[in-house]
Amino acid sequence: MDFEYTPEQIQLRKAVREFAEAEIAPHVMEWDEGQIFPLETVRKLGSLGYMGAIFPEEYNGAGMGYIEYAIVIEELSRVDGSLGIIVAAHTSLCSNHIYKMGDEEQRRRYLPRLATGEWIGCWSLTEPEAGSDAAGTRTRAVNERGEWVLNGAKTFTTNAHHADVCVAMAVTDRSAAQHGISAFIVEKDTPGFRCGRKENKLGLRASSTGEVIFEDCRLAAGQLLGRMNEGFVDSLKVLDGGRISIAALSIGMAQGAYDAALRYSKLRKQFGRPISEFQAIQHKLVDMAVELDAARLLNYRAAWMLDHGARVTRESSMAKLFASEAAVRIAGEALQIHGGYGFIKDYPVEKFYRDVKLCTIGEGTSEIQRLVIARELLKT
Ligand SMILES: Cc1cc2nc3c(=O)[nH]c(=O)nc-3n(C[C@H](O)[C@H](O)[C@H](O)COP(=O)(O)OP(=O)(O)OC[C@H]3O[C@@H](n4cnc5c(N)ncnc54)[C@H](O)[C@@H]3O)c2cc1C
């Protein structure tokens, strides 16, 4: 066992932190209030290799592992969770589905553009009637003379309105339930494909979340991604990695909230002393620091296992469950330490408090993580 960061990981964290402080921090509230998608910043992240961290260099990726990828998501989210979720949905859902399940032609067409941020990706599984029960997908794909014709609608797709490529799941065999859903790659200009409503959200407001609609959307046979009827099963494998990025998103935002609270507690004086000298405040900071450390360790274990080719369903679910719930608690305590000022938009903690809640919901709610982990535990 080795608990040291490598010199490269230390350098990576420093580089992403410096980028986030210089290029993201000054705009965070403006983007949040205006619900402005930070396209220019996303392109810059692409040119630095952060939009394709986990893909091999032959596909223009940065050739990093999941621990490095988690560091990137953490450091972006420490400043703005919206950037964290934009990069996460693009990388570990859309691009990774293509990387893991795509044939060589698909990898060559899509990954180099996605990995450099020239194209933005989104991934559509959820539907209005199929959220936690994602196998209840209704969007259907019918094969007509060698072409696929898609009809239906997806909801809550991160990046939908800015994506050049969408990986979407649709029913191809109604009688086969989980083994009757396939994945498709849809390019944004495909006739019959469009985005619908963009959601007005509690948090992560600079990221866009919305509907994706298919109306007689015709796709060439080569747009089927992975094996026919195995798209749902493949999605679960993709989500194993995706949950590491939601844990990293949680950890990054929790770190941002903790850092702000620690700083504030040393500056704010009441009863003639900095509030950090009160034991009640110290205990909050201690509990926050312990939970943050535990969340990080759980997530790096899952990331390390994934990098070593292991199955991580249990470990990534545990990391996501713990990190997201801990992050909600940490952001709440960070706000409490700020007192009334925590409720005011001049301080960063109110935004962390709003943003972090998504982490207990997206890519499987906490209830569903417990269901997944229970299944894994009861197997043995
Ligand atoms: C900001 C945002 C971004 C998102 N991005 C994406 C994306 O990019 N792509 C995508 O495909 N989806 C995305 N989602 C969708 C997200 O994954 C779903 O919202 C989530 O899986 C829950 O589904 P639901 O909202 O339909 O809730 P429901 O499934 O209706 O759940 C409602 C409640 O019931 C509970 N529940 C449901 N079933 C059970 C059960 N069997 N046992 C116990 N409790 C249960 C849930 O835990 C929850 O508390 C996003 C959502 C949001 C809000």
Side-chain angles (χ1 to χ4, degrees):
M1 245 176 233
D2 182 356
F3 289 101
E4 299 265 25
Y5 290 111
T6 64
E8 292 77 18
Q9 287 164 349
I10 293 169
Q11 182 51 39
L12 175 69
R13 189 182 291 284
K14 185 168 173 283
V16 185
R17 184 169 293 197
E18 282 171 5
F19 177 87
E21 299 282 4
E23 305 268 344
I24 301 172
H27 309 288
V28 166
M29 285 317 285
E30 180 200 339
W31 293 342
D32 181 69
E33 303 226 312
Q35 302 189 62
I36 299 164
F37 186 90
L39 185 59
E40 206 183 305
T41 309
V42 169
R43 300 272 189 242
K44 282 188 194 164
L45 287 173
S47 69
L48 292 167
Y50 302 147
M51 296 293 280
I54 49 176
F55 307 113
E57 288 170 18
E58 59 173 310
Y59 301 114
N60 288 351
M64 297 179 194
Y66 260 79
I67 293 185
E68 289 77 14
Y69 170 58
I71 289 173
V72 171
I73 299 291
E74 279 178 31
E75 289 302 323
L76 295 175
S77 310
R78 182 179 158 273
V79 172
D80 188 3
S82 286
L83 257 307
I85 197 172
I86 291 167
V87 176
H90 166 92
T91 308
S92 52
L93 296 181
C94 175
S95 307
N96 200 38
H97 199 143
I98 295 174
Y99 175 60
K100 283 180 93 77
M101 313 301 170
D103 59 32
E104 200 47 33
E105 204 180 325
Q106 290 168 333
R107 286 174 161 196
R108 297 241 165 256
R109 173 159 176 77
Y110 295 106
L111 286 176
R113 291 174 172 122
L114 288 165
T116 51
E118 181 191 339
W119 281 3
I120 294 173
C122 69
W123 190 83
S124 292
L125 175 63
T126 307
E127 296 188 359
E129 303 302 326
S132 299
D133 181 16
T137 293
R138 292 183 181 177
T139 296
R140 62 191 189 284
V142 177
N143 198 310
E144 281 182 10
R145 295 179 298 279
E147 276 186 340
W148 291 100
V149 184
L150 270 65
N151 277 288
K154 298 282 176 183
T155 190
F156 292 152
T157 296
T158 300
N159 294 342
H161 291 76
H162 300 274
D164 301 278
V165 183
C166 175
V167 169
M169 273 41 78
V171 175
T172 37
D173 180 354
R174 211 178 276 285
S175 64
Q178 295 199 0
H179 293 281
I181 295 173
S182 303
F184 296 89
I185 308 175
V186 189
E187 295 184 18
K188 77 168 177 199
D189 295 327
T190 310
F193 173 76
R194 67 180 171 91
C195 292
R197 176 190 150 102
K198 181 181 168 215
E199 304 297 345
N200 184 4
K201 306 194 295 287
L202 168 74
L204 300 175
R205 288 165 61 80
S207 72
S208 76
T209 311
E211 278 181 324
V212 164
I213 298 168
F214 304 93
E215 290 160 326
D216 287 329
C217 173
R218 301 188 88 83
L219 299 176
Q223 299 308 103
L224 175 73
L225 176 60
R227 283 191 299 149
M228 191 174 133
N229 293 333
E230 293 304 318
F232 180 75
V233 177
D234 288 346
S235 292
L236 298 185
K237 293 178 191 152
V238 169
L239 283 170
D240 280 349
R243 284 172 183 150
I244 292 173
S245 49
I246 300 298
L249 176 67
S250 313
I251 292 162
M253 288 192 276
Q255 183 73 58
Y258 169 82
D259 290 348
L262 183 66
R263 204 166 45 238
Y264 186 82
S265 71
K266 291 181 188 167
L267 295 174
R268 175 68 173 168
K269 285 192 177 141
Q270 286 294 282
F271 301 96
R273 296 196 275 166
I275 60 168
S276 60
E277 290 184 12
F278 300 129
Q279 195 181 44
I281 299 294
Q282 290 174 0
H283 283 188
K284 286 187 196 300
L285 290 167
V286 168
D287 290 349
M288 290 156 77
V290 171
E291 287 210 291
L292 199 45
D293 237 18
R296 221 177 230 124
L297 288 169
L298 271 176
N299 204 33
Y300 290 162
R301 177 184 66 171
W304 182 90
M305 286 175 65
L306 198 60
D307 284 340
H308 286 76
R311 184 172 174 272
V312 295
T313 305
R314 186 177 88 140
E315 289 75 13
S316 67
S317 264
M318 283 182 166
K320 196 267 189 192
L321 171 65
F322 184 80
S324 62
E325 298 210 330
V328 168
R329 287 191 291 272
I330 291 167
E333 291 292 52
L335 197 153
Q336 190 70 18
I337 289 172
H338 280 71
Y341 297 96
F343 210 65
I344 306 296
K345 285 182 184 283
D346 295 348
Y347 291 82
V349 286
E350 71 82 31
K351 181 171 176 297
F352 286 123
Y353 185 77
R354 288 185 284 113
D355 286 352
V356 82
K357 187 57 198 159
L358 179 273
C359 298
T360 66
I361 297 169
E363 298 197 31
T365 62
S366 289
E367 291 76 11
I368 295 302
Q369 302 310 319
R370 288 190 169 89
L371 197 139
V372 169
I373 297 164
R375 259 190 222 137
E376 293 291 315
L377 297 181
L378 294 170
K379 254 188 204 169
T380 53

